[in-house]
Amino acid sequence: VGGWAWNNDTAILARGEVAAVEPESDAGRPFLLAAVRLDGWPEMHVVSLRLAPQPVRFDFWSADSWRTYANIRRKHRQELAMILHHLEAFPGDAPLVIAGDFNAPAGDAIFELLRPKYADAFAESGRGWGCTLPNRFPLLRIDQVWTAGQIEPLATCTAVSQTSDHRLLIADLQLRSR
């Protein structure tokens, strides 16, 4: 038995019950927040996200190019801050997962918004290269999984995708014992 929830650009699929926490009325919202119930686990909250895409520009001599990149970095911070604001309602030890396309490479300053509460699953349990973009010759780790509360990453890896320009990101997670 499985469940799912989706909005215009993200989805959550699980072997259990999945219920969107809020109506997906805002088509411009870059994330989906759902309550997920799996057998033997307490209810957890999962965020599937896709932050605004990065521009692809090669005119680095242009001041407009640098303004464009500065603007997208500000937008990413605003989008992630909005997501974290929605998660403030949950208890500090509640199992939480934030996963998806951050459209920012690992090590970007945006991830400081997640620390120290959230942990990067690949940094804790990664195997292999870890980069997801582009699929055929991955150089950037823009797809990530971050966990908090009682969730501990066991193993995180990537796999070639047949249907996307990104590689698949696979994270095996377990509930921490108290």
Side-chain angles (χ1 to χ4, degrees):
V1 174
W4 63 89
W6 70 93
N7 67 10
N8 62 314
D9 205 20
T10 64
I12 297 170
L13 308 166
R15 291 183 182 162
E17 297 175 32
V18 178
V21 172
E22 300 173 351
E24 300 93 25
S25 59
D26 183 1
R29 190 170 64 191
F31 71 97
L32 172 65
L33 172 58
V36 176
R37 287 192 171 275
L38 305 174
D39 287 339
W41 285 58
E43 181 177 271
M44 71 176 119
H45 288 88
V46 177
V47 174
S48 175
L49 61 80
R50 181 175 180 257
L51 301 185
Q54 286 278 353
V56 178
R57 294 189 62 165
F58 298 103
D59 58 337
F60 301 119
W61 57 88
S62 163
D64 183 59
S65 176
W66 291 103
R67 274 191 295 276
T68 300
Y69 281 108
N71 288 339
I72 199 67
R73 292 196 75 198
R74 274 192 290 278
K75 184 172 177 103
H76 284 168
R77 289 185 80 76
Q78 291 168 348
E79 290 173 333
L80 191 52
M82 175 179 35
I83 292 165
L84 294 173
H85 175 74
H86 283 272
L87 294 175
E88 286 175 1
F90 304 112
D93 66 342
L96 295 166
V97 176
I98 301 173
D101 183 351
F102 285 83
N103 270 311
D108 190 277
I110 189 174
F111 298 109
E112 292 304 317
L113 292 173
L114 296 170
R115 292 184 184 102
K117 182 175 182 178
Y118 295 90
D120 177 358
F122 191 83
E124 289 198 5
S125 67
R127 295 181 182 161
W129 185 243
C131 294
T132 57
L133 186 74
N135 185 23
R136 294 184 57 126
F137 188 67
L139 298 172
L140 298 171
R141 188 164 73 89
I142 65 172
D143 301 287
Q144 299 184 28
V145 174
W146 289 73
T147 63
Q150 305 161 351
I151 297 181
E152 175 180 21
L154 293 177
T156 308
C157 64
T158 63
V160 174
S161 170
Q162 300 302 315
T163 58
S164 175
D165 59 337
H166 295 238
R167 287 199 172 195
L168 300 171
L169 178 61
I170 303 160
D172 291 331
L173 309 172
Q174 79 174 0
L175 200 57
R176 282 190 176 105
S177 57
R178 292 186 174 208

